[in-house]
Coordinates of all heavy atoms in Angstrom, one line a residue:
M20 N -28.6 66.1 11.2 CA -29.2 65.0 10.6 C -30.3 64.4 11.6 O -30.0 64.2 12.7 CB -28.2 63.9 10.2 CG -28.9 62.7 9.6 SD -27.7 61.4 9.1 CE -26.9 61.0 10.5
V21 N -31.4 64.1 11.0 CA -32.6 63.6 11.8 C -32.9 62.2 11.2 O -33.0 62.0 10.1 CB -33.8 64.5 11.8 CG1 -34.9 63.8 12.5 CG2 -33.5 65.8 12.3
T22 N -33.0 61.2 12.1 CA -33.2 59.8 11.7 C -34.5 59.3 12.4 O -34.5 59.4 13.6 CB -32.0 58.9 11.9 OG1 -30.9 59.5 11.2 CG2 -32.3 57.5 11.4
S23 N -35.4 58.7 11.7 CA -36.5 58.0 12.3 C -36.5 56.5 11.8 O -35.6 56.2 11.1 CB -37.8 58.7 12.0 OG -38.1 58.5 10.7
K24 N -37.5 55.8 12.1 CA -37.5 54.4 11.7 C -37.5 54.2 10.2 O -36.8 53.3 9.7 CB -38.8 53.7 12.3 CG -38.9 52.2 12.1 CD -40.1 51.6 12.7 CE -40.1 50.1 12.5 NZ -41.2 49.5 13.1
H25 N -38.2 55.1 9.5 CA -38.2 54.9 8.0 C -37.6 56.0 7.2 O -37.6 56.0 6.0 CB -39.7 54.8 7.6 CG -40.4 53.6 8.2 ND1 -40.1 52.3 7.9 CD2 -41.3 53.5 9.2 CE1 -40.8 51.5 8.6 NE2 -41.6 52.2 9.4
T26 N -37.2 57.1 7.9 CA -36.8 58.3 7.1 C -35.5 58.8 7.7 O -35.3 58.9 8.9 CB -37.8 59.4 7.2 OG1 -39.1 58.9 6.8 CG2 -37.4 60.6 6.4
T27 N -34.6 59.3 6.9 CA -33.4 60.0 7.3 C -33.4 61.3 6.6 O -33.6 61.4 5.4 CB -32.1 59.2 6.9 OG1 -32.1 58.0 7.5 CG2 -30.9 60.0 7.3
L28 N -33.3 62.4 7.4 CA -33.2 63.7 6.9 C -31.9 64.3 7.0 O -31.3 64.3 8.1 CB -34.2 64.6 7.7 CG -34.2 66.1 7.3 CD1 -34.7 66.3 5.8 CD2 -35.1 66.9 8.2
A29 N -31.3 64.7 5.9 CA -29.9 65.2 5.9 C -30.0 66.5 5.1 O -30.7 66.6 4.1 CB -28.9 64.2 5.3
V30 N -29.2 67.5 5.5 CA -29.2 68.8 4.8 C -27.8 69.0 4.1 O -26.8 68.7 4.7 CB -29.5 69.9 5.8 CG1 -29.5 71.3 5.2 CG2 -30.8 69.7 6.5
A31 N -27.9 69.6 2.9 CA -26.6 70.0 2.2 C -26.8 71.4 1.7 O -27.9 71.7 1.2 CB -26.4 69.0 1.1
K32 N -25.7 72.2 1.7 CA -25.8 73.5 1.2 C -25.3 73.6 -0.2 O -24.2 73.0 -0.5 CB -25.0 74.4 2.2 CG -25.0 75.9 1.8 CD -24.2 76.7 2.8 CE -24.1 78.1 2.4 NZ -23.2 78.9 3.4
M33 N -26.0 74.4 -1.1 CA -25.5 74.5 -2.4 C -24.5 75.7 -2.5 O -24.8 76.8 -1.9 CB -26.7 74.8 -3.4 CG -26.3 74.8 -4.8 SD -27.7 75.1 -5.9 CE -28.8 73.8 -5.6
T34 N -23.5 75.5 -3.3 CA -22.5 76.6 -3.5 C -22.9 77.5 -4.6 O -23.9 77.2 -5.3 CB -21.1 76.0 -3.8 OG1 -21.2 75.5 -5.2 CG2 -20.6 75.0 -2.9
S35 N -22.2 78.6 -4.8 CA -22.5 79.5 -5.8 C -22.4 78.9 -7.2 O -23.0 79.4 -8.2 CB -21.6 80.7 -5.8 OG -20.2 80.4 -5.9
K36 N -21.7 77.8 -7.3 CA -21.6 77.1 -8.6 C -22.6 75.9 -8.7 O -22.4 75.0 -9.5 CB -20.1 76.5 -8.8 CG -19.1 77.6 -8.9 CD -17.7 77.0 -9.2 CE -16.7 78.0 -9.3 NZ -15.4 77.5 -9.6
H37 N -23.6 75.9 -7.9 CA -24.7 75.0 -7.9 C -24.2 73.5 -7.5 O -24.7 72.6 -8.0 CB -25.4 75.0 -9.2 CG -26.0 76.3 -9.5 ND1 -25.5 77.2 -10.4 CD2 -27.1 76.9 -8.9 CE1 -26.2 78.3 -10.4 NE2 -27.2 78.2 -9.5
Q38 N -23.2 73.4 -6.7 CA -22.7 72.1 -6.3 C -23.0 71.9 -4.8 O -23.1 72.8 -4.0 CB -21.1 72.1 -6.5 CG -20.7 72.3 -7.9 CD -19.1 72.4 -8.0 OE1 -18.5 72.9 -7.1 NE2 -18.6 72.1 -9.2
I39 N -23.2 70.6 -4.5 CA -23.4 70.2 -3.1 C -22.5 69.1 -2.7 O -22.0 68.3 -3.6 CB -24.9 69.8 -2.8 CG1 -25.3 68.6 -3.6 CG2 -25.8 70.9 -3.1 CD1 -26.6 67.9 -3.2
T40 N -22.2 68.9 -1.4 CA -21.5 67.8 -0.9 C -22.6 66.8 -0.4 O -23.4 67.2 0.4 CB -20.6 68.1 0.2 OG1 -19.5 69.0 -0.4 CG2 -19.9 66.9 0.8
I41 N -22.6 65.6 -0.9 CA -23.6 64.6 -0.4 C -23.3 64.2 1.0 O -22.1 63.8 1.3 CB -23.6 63.4 -1.3 CG1 -23.9 63.9 -2.8 CG2 -24.6 62.4 -0.9 CD1 -23.7 62.8 -3.8
P42 N -24.2 64.4 2.0 CA -23.9 64.0 3.3 C -23.5 62.6 3.5 O -23.9 61.7 2.7 CB -25.3 64.3 4.0 CG -25.9 65.3 3.2 CD -25.5 64.9 1.8
R43 N -22.7 62.3 4.5 CA -22.1 61.0 4.7 C -23.2 59.9 4.9 O -23.1 58.9 4.4 CB -21.3 61.0 6.0 CG -20.7 59.6 6.3 CD -19.9 59.5 7.6 NE -18.7 60.3 7.4 CZ -17.8 60.5 8.3 NH1 -18.0 60.1 9.5 NH2 -16.7 61.2 8.0
A44 N -24.3 60.3 5.6 CA -25.4 59.3 5.8 C -26.0 58.9 4.5 O -26.3 57.7 4.3 CB -26.5 59.9 6.7
V45 N -26.1 59.8 3.6 CA -26.7 59.5 2.3 C -25.7 58.6 1.5 O -26.1 57.6 0.8 CB -27.1 60.8 1.5 CG1 -27.6 60.5 0.1 CG2 -28.1 61.6 2.2
R46 N -24.4 59.0 1.5 CA -23.4 58.2 0.8 C -23.4 56.8 1.3 O -23.3 55.9 0.5 CB -22.0 58.9 0.9 CG -21.9 60.2 0.2 CD -20.4 60.7 0.2 NE -19.7 60.6 1.4 CZ -19.5 61.5 2.3 NH1 -20.0 62.7 2.1 NH2 -18.8 61.4 3.4
E47 N -23.4 56.6 2.6 CA -23.3 55.3 3.1 C -24.6 54.5 2.8 O -24.5 53.3 2.5 CB -23.1 55.4 4.7 CG -21.8 55.9 5.0 CD -21.6 56.1 6.5 OE1 -22.6 56.0 7.3 OE2 -20.4 56.4 6.9
K48 N -25.8 55.1 2.9 CA -27.1 54.5 2.6 C -27.1 54.0 1.2 O -27.6 52.9 0.9 CB -28.2 55.4 3.0 CG -29.6 54.8 2.9 CD -29.8 54.0 4.1 CE -31.3 53.6 4.2 NZ -31.6 52.8 5.4
L49 N -26.6 54.8 0.2 CA -26.7 54.4 -1.2 C -25.4 53.6 -1.6 O -25.4 53.2 -2.7 CB -26.8 55.7 -2.0 CG -28.0 56.5 -1.9 CD1 -28.0 57.8 -2.8 CD2 -29.2 55.7 -2.2
G50 N -24.4 53.5 -0.7 CA -23.2 52.8 -1.1 C -22.4 53.5 -2.2 O -21.9 52.9 -3.1
L51 N -22.3 54.8 -2.1 CA -21.7 55.6 -3.0 C -20.1 55.6 -2.8 O -19.7 55.6 -1.7 CB -22.2 57.1 -3.0 CG -23.6 57.3 -3.3 CD1 -24.0 58.7 -3.1 CD2 -23.9 56.8 -4.8
S52 N -19.4 55.7 -4.0 CA -18.0 55.8 -3.9 C -17.6 56.8 -5.0 O -18.4 57.2 -5.8 CB -17.3 54.5 -4.1 OG -17.6 53.8 -5.3
N53 N -16.3 57.1 -5.1 CA -15.8 58.0 -6.1 C -16.3 57.7 -7.5 O -16.3 56.5 -7.9 CB -14.3 58.0 -6.1 CG -13.7 58.7 -4.9 OD1 -14.4 59.3 -4.1 ND2 -12.4 58.4 -4.6
H54 N -16.7 58.6 -8.3 CA -17.0 58.5 -9.7 C -18.4 57.8 -9.9 O -18.7 57.5 -11.1 CB -15.9 57.9 -10.5 CG -14.6 58.6 -10.3 ND1 -14.4 59.8 -10.8 CD2 -13.5 58.2 -9.7 CE1 -13.1 60.2 -10.5 NE2 -12.6 59.2 -9.8
D55 N -19.1 57.5 -8.9 CA -20.5 56.9 -9.1 C -21.3 58.0 -9.6 O -21.1 59.2 -9.4 CB -21.1 56.4 -7.7 CG -20.5 55.1 -7.3 OD1 -20.0 54.4 -8.2 OD2 -20.7 54.7 -6.1
K56 N -22.4 57.6 -10.4 CA -23.3 58.6 -10.9 C -24.6 58.4 -10.1 O -25.0 57.3 -9.6 CB -23.6 58.3 -12.4 CG -22.3 58.5 -13.2 CD -22.6 58.3 -14.7 CE -21.4 58.6 -15.5 NZ -21.7 58.4 -17.0
L57 N -25.3 59.5 -10.0 CA -26.6 59.6 -9.3 C -27.7 59.8 -10.3 O -27.6 60.5 -11.3 CB -26.6 60.7 -8.3 CG -25.6 60.5 -7.1 CD1 -25.7 61.8 -6.2 CD2 -25.9 59.3 -6.4
V58 N -28.9 59.2 -10.0 CA -30.1 59.4 -10.8 C -31.1 60.2 -10.0 O -31.4 59.9 -8.8 CB -30.7 58.0 -11.2 CG1 -32.0 58.3 -12.0 CG2 -29.7 57.2 -12.0
F59 N -31.5 61.3 -10.5 CA -32.5 62.2 -9.9 C -33.8 62.0 -10.6 O -34.0 62.2 -11.7 CB -32.1 63.7 -10.0 CG -30.8 64.0 -9.3 CD1 -29.6 63.8 -9.8 CD2 -30.9 64.6 -8.0 CE1 -28.4 64.1 -9.2 CE2 -29.7 64.9 -7.4 CZ -28.5 64.7 -7.9
Q60 N -34.9 61.6 -9.8 CA -36.2 61.4 -10.3 C -37.1 62.5 -9.7 O -37.2 62.6 -8.4 CB -36.7 60.1 -10.0 CG -38.1 59.8 -10.5 CD -38.6 58.4 -10.3 OE1 -37.8 57.6 -9.7 NE2 -39.8 58.1 -10.7
L61 N -37.7 63.4 -10.5 CA -38.5 64.5 -10.0 C -40.0 64.0 -10.2 O -40.4 63.6 -11.2 CB -38.3 65.7 -10.9 CG -36.8 66.1 -11.0 CD1 -36.7 67.3 -12.0 CD2 -36.3 66.5 -9.6
T62 N -40.8 64.3 -9.1 CA -42.2 64.0 -9.1 C -43.0 65.3 -9.5 O -42.4 66.4 -9.5 CB -42.7 63.5 -7.8 OG1 -42.7 64.6 -6.8 CG2 -41.9 62.3 -7.3
D63 N -44.2 65.1 -9.9 CA -45.1 66.3 -10.2 C -45.3 67.2 -9.0 O -45.7 68.3 -9.1 CB -46.4 65.8 -10.7 CG -46.3 65.1 -12.1 OD1 -45.3 65.4 -12.8 OD2 -47.2 64.3 -12.4
H64 N -45.1 66.6 -7.8 CA -45.4 67.4 -6.5 C -44.1 68.1 -6.0 O -44.1 68.6 -4.9 CB -45.9 66.4 -5.5 CG -47.2 65.7 -5.9 ND1 -48.4 66.4 -6.0 CD2 -47.4 64.4 -6.1 CE1 -49.3 65.5 -6.4 NE2 -48.7 64.3 -6.5
G65 N -43.1 68.1 -6.8 CA -41.8 68.8 -6.5 C -40.9 68.1 -5.6 O -39.9 68.6 -5.1
Q66 N -41.1 66.8 -5.4 CA -40.2 65.9 -4.6 C -39.1 65.4 -5.6 O -39.3 65.2 -6.7 CB -41.0 64.8 -4.0 CG -41.9 65.2 -2.9 CD -42.7 64.1 -2.4 OE1 -43.1 63.2 -3.1 NE2 -43.0 64.1 -1.1
V67 N -38.0 65.1 -5.0 CA -36.8 64.6 -5.7 C -36.4 63.3 -5.0 O -36.2 63.3 -3.8 CB -35.7 65.6 -5.7 CG1 -34.5 65.0 -6.5 CG2 -36.1 66.9 -6.3
M68 N -36.3 62.2 -5.8 CA -35.8 61.0 -5.3 C -34.4 60.8 -6.0 O -34.2 61.0 -7.2 CB -36.7 59.8 -5.6 CG -38.0 59.9 -4.9 SD -39.1 58.5 -5.2 CE -39.8 59.1 -6.7
I69 N -33.4 60.4 -5.1 CA -32.1 60.2 -5.6 C -31.7 58.8 -5.4 O -31.9 58.2 -4.3 CB -31.1 61.2 -4.9 CG1 -31.5 62.6 -5.1 CG2 -29.6 60.9 -5.4 CD1 -30.7 63.6 -4.2
D70 N -31.0 58.2 -6.4 CA -30.6 56.8 -6.3 C -29.2 56.7 -7.0 O -28.9 57.5 -7.9 CB -31.6 55.8 -6.9 CG -31.4 54.4 -6.3 OD1 -30.5 54.2 -5.6 OD2 -32.3 53.6 -6.6
K71 N -28.5 55.7 -6.7 CA -27.2 55.4 -7.4 C -27.6 54.7 -8.7 O -28.5 53.9 -8.8 CB -26.4 54.4 -6.5 CG -25.1 54.0 -7.1 CD -24.4 53.1 -6.1 CE -23.1 52.6 -6.7 NZ -22.4 51.6 -5.7
E72 N -26.9 55.2 -9.8 CA -27.1 54.6 -11.1 C -26.7 53.2 -11.1 O -25.6 52.8 -10.6 CB -26.3 55.4 -12.1 CG -26.5 54.8 -13.5 CD -25.7 55.6 -14.6 OE1 -24.5 55.7 -14.4 OE2 -26.3 56.0 -15.6
Q73 N -27.5 52.3 -11.5 CA -27.2 50.9 -11.6 C -26.4 50.6 -12.9 O -26.8 51.0 -14.0 CB -28.5 50.0 -11.6 CG -29.3 50.2 -10.4 CD -28.6 49.9 -9.1 OE1 -27.9 48.9 -9.0 NE2 -28.7 50.8 -8.1
K74 N -25.3 50.0 -12.7 CA -24.4 49.7 -13.8 C -24.9 48.5 -14.6 O -25.2 47.5 -14.0 CB -23.0 49.5 -13.3 CG -22.3 50.7 -12.7 CD -20.9 50.4 -12.3 CE -20.2 51.7 -11.9 NZ -20.7 52.2 -10.7
S75 N -25.0 48.6 -15.9 CA -25.5 47.5 -16.7 C -24.4 47.1 -17.7 O -24.5 46.1 -18.4 CB -26.7 47.9 -17.5 OG -26.5 49.0 -18.3
D76 N -23.3 47.9 -17.7 CA -22.2 47.6 -18.6 C -21.3 46.6 -17.9 O -20.8 46.8 -16.8 CB -21.4 48.9 -18.9 CG -20.1 48.7 -19.6 OD1 -20.0 47.7 -20.4 OD2 -19.2 49.5 -19.4
L77 N -21.0 45.5 -18.6 CA -20.2 44.4 -18.0 C -18.8 44.9 -17.5 O -18.4 44.6 -16.4 CB -20.0 43.2 -19.0 CG -19.1 42.1 -18.5 CD1 -19.7 41.4 -17.3 CD2 -18.9 41.1 -19.7
W78 N -18.2 45.7 -18.3 CA -16.8 46.1 -18.0 C -16.8 47.1 -16.8 O -15.9 47.1 -15.9 CB -16.1 46.7 -19.2 CG -15.8 45.7 -20.2 CD1 -16.4 45.5 -21.4 CD2 -15.0 44.5 -20.0 NE1 -16.0 44.4 -22.0 CE2 -15.1 43.8 -21.2 CE3 -14.1 44.1 -19.0 CZ2 -14.3 42.6 -21.4 CZ3 -13.4 43.0 -19.2 CH2 -13.5 42.2 -20.4
S79 N -17.9 47.9 -16.6 CA -18.0 48.7 -15.4 C -18.2 47.9 -14.2 O -17.6 48.2 -13.1 CB -19.2 49.6 -15.6 OG -19.1 50.5 -16.6
I80 N -19.0 46.8 -14.3 CA -19.1 45.9 -13.1 C -17.8 45.2 -12.8 O -17.4 45.1 -11.7 CB -20.2 44.9 -13.4 CG1 -21.6 45.6 -13.6 CG2 -20.3 43.8 -12.4 CD1 -22.7 44.7 -14.2
I81 N -17.1 44.8 -13.8 CA -15.8 44.1 -13.6 C -14.8 45.1 -12.9 O -14.1 44.8 -12.0 CB -15.2 43.6 -14.9 CG1 -16.1 42.4 -15.4 CG2 -13.7 43.2 -14.7 CD1 -15.8 41.9 -16.7
R82 N -14.7 46.4 -13.4 CA -13.8 47.4 -12.8 C -14.2 47.6 -11.3 O -13.3 47.7 -10.5 CB -13.8 48.7 -13.6 CG -13.0 48.6 -14.9 CD -12.9 50.0 -15.5 NE -14.1 50.5 -16.0 CZ -14.6 50.2 -17.2 NH1 -14.0 49.4 -18.0 NH2 -15.8 50.7 -17.6
E83 N -15.5 47.7 -11.1 CA -16.0 47.9 -9.7 C -15.6 46.8 -8.8 O -15.1 46.9 -7.7 CB -17.5 48.1 -9.7 CG -18.1 48.4 -8.3 CD -19.5 48.6 -8.4 OE1 -20.0 49.7 -8.9 OE2 -20.3 47.7 -8.0
Q84 N -15.8 45.5 -9.3 CA -15.4 44.4 -8.5 C -13.9 44.3 -8.3 O -13.4 43.9 -7.2 CB -15.9 43.1 -9.2 CG -17.4 43.0 -9.2 CD -18.0 42.9 -7.8 OE1 -17.5 42.1 -7.0 NE2 -19.0 43.6 -7.5
D85 N -13.2 44.6 -9.3 CA -11.7 44.6 -9.2 C -11.2 45.6 -8.2 O -10.3 45.3 -7.4 CB -11.1 44.9 -10.6 CG -9.6 44.9 -10.6 OD1 -9.0 43.8 -10.1 OD2 -8.9 45.8 -11.1
A86 N -11.8 46.8 -8.1 CA -11.4 47.8 -7.2 C -11.8 47.4 -5.7 O -11.1 47.6 -4.8 CB -12.1 49.1 -7.5
A87 N -12.9 46.7 -5.6 CA -13.4 46.3 -4.3 C -12.7 45.0 -3.8 O -12.4 44.9 -2.6 CB -14.9 46.0 -4.3
H88 N -12.4 44.1 -4.7 CA -11.9 42.8 -4.2 C -10.5 42.4 -4.8 O -10.0 41.3 -4.4 CB -12.9 41.7 -4.6 CG -14.3 42.0 -4.1 ND1 -14.6 41.9 -2.7 CD2 -15.4 42.3 -4.7 CE1 -15.9 42.2 -2.6 NE2 -16.4 42.5 -3.7
G89 N -10.0 43.2 -5.6 CA -8.7 42.9 -6.2 C -8.9 42.1 -7.5 O -9.9 41.6 -7.9
S90 N -7.8 42.0 -8.3 CA -7.8 41.3 -9.6 C -7.8 39.8 -9.4 O -7.2 39.3 -8.5 CB -6.6 41.8 -10.4 OG -6.6 41.1 -11.6
I91 N -8.5 39.1 -10.4 CA -8.4 37.7 -10.4 C -7.2 37.2 -11.2 O -7.0 36.0 -11.3 CB -9.7 37.1 -10.9 CG1 -10.0 37.5 -12.3 CG2 -10.9 37.4 -10.0 CD1 -11.1 36.8 -13.0
D92 N -6.5 38.1 -11.9 CA -5.3 37.8 -12.6 C -4.3 37.2 -11.7 O -4.0 37.8 -10.6 CB -4.8 39.0 -13.4 CG -5.7 39.4 -14.5 OD1 -6.5 38.7 -14.9 OD2 -5.6 40.7 -14.8
T93 N -3.7 36.1 -12.1 CA -2.6 35.5 -11.3 C -1.4 35.4 -12.2 O -1.6 35.2 -13.4 CB -3.0 34.1 -10.7 OG1 -3.4 33.3 -11.8 CG2 -4.2 34.3 -9.7
P94 N -0.2 35.4 -11.6 CA 1.0 35.2 -12.4 C 1.0 33.8 -12.9 O 0.5 32.9 -12.3 CB 2.1 35.6 -11.5 CG 1.6 35.5 -10.1 CD 0.1 35.7 -10.2
E95 N 1.7 33.7 -14.1 CA 1.9 32.3 -14.7 C 2.8 31.5 -13.7 O 3.8 32.0 -13.3 CB 2.5 32.4 -16.1 CG 2.5 31.1 -16.8 CD 3.0 31.3 -18.2 OE1 2.7 32.3 -18.8 OE2 3.6 30.3 -18.7
P96 N 2.4 30.3 -13.4 CA 3.2 29.5 -12.5 C 4.5 29.1 -13.2 O 4.6 28.9 -14.4 CB 2.4 28.2 -12.3 CG 1.4 28.2 -13.4 CD 1.2 29.6 -13.9
D97 N 5.5 29.0 -12.4 CA 6.9 28.6 -12.8 C 7.0 27.1 -12.5 O 7.0 26.6 -11.4 CB 7.9 29.3 -12.0 CG 9.3 28.9 -12.4 OD1 9.5 28.3 -13.5 OD2 10.3 29.3 -11.7
W98 N 7.0 26.3 -13.6 CA 7.0 24.9 -13.5 C 8.4 24.3 -13.4 O 8.6 23.1 -13.3 CB 6.3 24.2 -14.7 CG 4.9 24.6 -14.9 CD1 4.3 25.5 -15.7 CD2 3.8 24.2 -14.1 NE1 3.0 25.7 -15.5 CE2 2.6 24.8 -14.5 CE3 3.7 23.2 -13.0 CZ2 1.4 24.6 -14.0 CZ3 2.4 23.0 -12.5 CH2 1.3 23.7 -13.0
G99 N 9.4 25.2 -13.5 CA 10.8 24.7 -13.4 C 11.4 24.4 -14.8 O 10.7 24.5 -15.8
K100 N 12.7 24.1 -14.8 CA 13.4 23.9 -16.0 C 13.0 22.5 -16.7 O 13.1 22.5 -17.9 CB 14.9 23.8 -15.7 CG 15.5 25.1 -15.3 CD 17.0 25.0 -15.2 CE 17.5 25.4 -13.9 NZ 18.9 25.2 -13.6
D101 N 12.7 21.5 -16.0 CA 12.5 20.2 -16.6 C 11.2 20.1 -17.3 O 11.0 19.2 -18.1 CB 12.6 19.2 -15.5 CG 11.6 19.3 -14.4 OD1 11.0 20.4 -14.3 OD2 11.4 18.3 -13.7
V102 N 10.2 21.0 -17.2 CA 8.9 20.9 -17.9 C 9.2 21.1 -19.4 O 9.8 22.1 -19.8 CB 7.9 21.9 -17.3 CG1 6.7 21.9 -18.2 CG2 7.6 21.6 -15.9
G103 N 8.7 20.3 -20.2 CA 8.8 20.3 -21.6 C 10.1 19.6 -22.1 O 10.3 19.5 -23.3
A104 N 10.9 19.1 -21.2 CA 12.1 18.4 -21.6 C 11.9 16.8 -21.3 O 12.9 16.1 -21.2 CB 13.3 18.9 -20.8
E105 N 10.7 16.4 -21.3 CA 10.4 15.0 -21.0 C 10.9 14.1 -22.2 O 10.7 14.5 -23.3 CB 9.0 14.7 -20.7 CG 8.4 15.4 -19.5 CD 8.0 16.8 -19.7 OE1 8.0 17.2 -20.9 OE2 7.6 17.4 -18.7
L106 N 11.5 13.0 -21.8 CA 11.9 12.1 -22.9 C 10.8 11.0 -23.0 O 10.3 10.4 -22.0 CB 13.2 11.4 -22.5 CG 14.4 12.4 -22.4 CD1 15.6 11.6 -21.9 CD2 14.7 13.0 -23.7
I107 N 10.4 10.7 -24.3 CA 9.4 9.7 -24.5 C 10.1 8.5 -25.1 O 10.7 8.6 -26.2 CB 8.3 10.3 -25.4 CG1 7.7 11.5 -24.8 CG2 7.2 9.2 -25.8 CD1 6.7 12.2 -25.6
D108 N 9.9 7.4 -24.5 CA 10.5 6.1 -25.0 C 9.6 5.6 -26.1 O 8.4 5.6 -26.1 CB 10.6 5.1 -23.9 CG 11.6 5.5 -22.8 OD1 12.5 6.3 -23.1 OD2 11.3 5.1 -21.6
D109 N 10.3 5.1 -27.1 CA 9.6 4.5 -28.3 C 9.3 3.1 -28.0 O 9.9 2.3 -27.5 CB 10.4 4.7 -29.6 CG 10.4 6.1 -30.0 OD1 9.4 6.8 -29.8 OD2 11.4 6.6 -30.5

């Protein structure tokens, strides 16, 4: 891997099934994790730009945040036996 001020060059080898492993430097730079999708943009000059697909679906964003930070669901509080048994004087 070669890195300069503005460019990182990483090499990946294609398998016989046309698959590649994305180099660690690229995964880290793009913030990739399991099951992320990549967008390939091809230019007229034969260059390829790769970026992480931006999620626009609310539930995808929620699942991603839940995986990263945990669920916001909390168990129902136990108020004890006396809650709901209050006597009201007339």
Side-chain angles (χ1 to χ4, degrees):
M20 176 176 60
V21 177
T22 303
S23 70
K24 185 175 181 181
H25 300 287
T26 305
T27 300
L28 175 64
V30 178
K32 182 179 177 182
M33 186 181 304
T34 69
S35 61
K36 293 184 180 183
H37 301 102
Q38 298 172 335
I39 62 168
T40 298
I41 300 167
R43 178 184 292 175
V45 175
R46 292 191 314 261
E47 290 174 352
K48 187 79 169 179
L49 295 177
L51 296 175
S52 58
N53 292 344
H54 307 291
D55 281 341
K56 293 182 180 181
L57 298 176
V58 176
F59 294 81
Q60 184 177 358
L61 307 174
T62 69
D63 292 337
H64 302 292
Q66 295 175 322
V67 179
M68 291 182 280
I69 302 172
D70 203 354
K71 180 178 177 180
E72 180 182 55
Q73 299 302 315
K74 294 182 171 69
S75 59
D76 172 32
L77 174 64
W78 292 110
S79 295
I80 295 168
I81 291 171
R82 281 189 294 276
E83 182 179 287
Q84 292 295 313
D85 184 46
H88 305 291
S90 176
I91 61 170
D92 292 336
T93 57
E95 187 173 327
D97 181 11
W98 298 104
K100 293 187 231 174
D101 60 344
V102 174
E105 295 86 3
L106 297 175
I107 300 175
D108 294 332
D109 290 324

